[in-house]
Amino acid sequence: MISANDLSPAELAALLHFHADAGVEWLLEEEAVDRFAEFEAMKAARQGARAAQPRVEAQQPAARPTPQPERRQAAPKATAPAAAPRSAPAIPDEQAVEQARFAAESARSLSELKTALEAFNSCNLKNSARSTIFASGTPEGRIMVIGPMPTADDDREGAPFAGRTGQLLDKMLAAIGLKRDDILLTNVIPWRPPGNRAPSAPEIEICRPFIERQIALAEPKALLLLGNFTARHFFASNETIHGLRGQWRDVTISGRAIPAIASLHPQELLTAPINKRLAWNDLLAFKTRIDGEA
């Protein structure tokens, strides 16, 4: 077993962050608990119960009425059926996609779209997520930054780009003269997948109408796409982020072509800081473009 004393501060911080992402909220009890003694006490209690059972039967030898057949047959009825889950019943993926399109296209403003998304229950991802993550900031700056899916921090705080990744993103934006409150931040997927797994193809298609409607209503002049999943989603490519980053491409939403550039996600930069120079080049290209279209 590795002791905390054997870890460097950076390794210990990374381990704690991993536990936080996994949903661990505390590691120690407030008071020490002797689990071995607790187990032995439970074991002794069970043995005592077994030893006492024959004596009880000997003291009460009177014949008990044999359960009637009707009662045996009624036993299954006595077991109440499992309560219906809170989540909406499963429906075919194609039907869920159609419902998502209808809900998204019916919204005439970002506030209406947020209400529609929060009321939408036909995506399995919503059943396991704590929060529905919608765009934050303002569309007035006509700049949109899009990430892949909510992190554990996002899910806890109910906002995109929270926690350490959000703090790093704030520094990245500040380096090119932007602030979080002056742009629109969002994710492709509005609900955190359980265990941070990748969303399935049907889940992606169910979420697609909502992110495309967000872009259509915000009418940005440029998109900054962060991360491998986001770049592949909008560029319809199987290349990695290193092959897609730094190149301006048009993303067509509701018949309108919007210039977009992909870059590394802040989480990727926290994992591999050496790539910050690549992200910096992408940010400079993004700043040059938006300043030229101001």
Side-chain angles (χ1 to χ4, degrees), residues 184-281:
L184 200 63
L185 296 173
T186 191
N187 288 310
V188 175
I189 307 296
W191 301 288
R192 181 196 179 202
N196 288 333
R197 67 166 173 79
S200 66
E203 290 167 347
I204 293 171
E205 291 308 307
I206 293 171
C207 295
R208 184 185 297 275
F210 292 107
I211 182 59
E212 291 187 352
R213 190 59 176 160
Q214 282 186 59
I215 298 172
L217 292 171
E219 298 183 337
K221 62 184 177 182
L223 300 174
L224 177 59
L225 310 177
L226 299 179
N228 194 65
F229 176 86
T230 314
R232 286 181 169 184
H233 180 82
F234 285 104
F235 293 160
S237 172
N238 290 324
E239 289 189 67
T240 67
I241 186 61
H242 290 279
L244 296 173
R245 55 154 291 274
Q247 305 172 33
W248 282 101
R249 306 188 186 193
D250 284 343
V251 173
T252 302
I253 303 293
S254 298
R256 176 172 172 256
I258 305 171
I261 189 171
S263 187
L264 295 151
H265 192 278
Q267 183 58 53
E268 296 168 320
L269 301 180
L270 290 172
T271 305
I274 193 172
N275 289 326
K276 288 183 178 180
R277 59 185 179 82
L278 301 177
W280 175 239
N281 290 333

Side-chain angles (χ1 to χ4, degrees), residues 51-90:
Q53 187 173 0
R55 290 197 296 272
V56 172
E57 291 177 353
Q59 293 170 4
Q60 299 178 357
R64 295 181 180 178
T66 303
Q68 297 300 318
E70 292 77 11
R71 292 191 178 182
R72 284 201 189 98
Q73 295 173 357
K77 296 181 181 179
T79 303
R86 290 184 181 179
S87 56

Side-chain angles (χ1 to χ4, degrees), residues 15 19 191 243:
L15 179 60
H19 284 308
W191 301 288

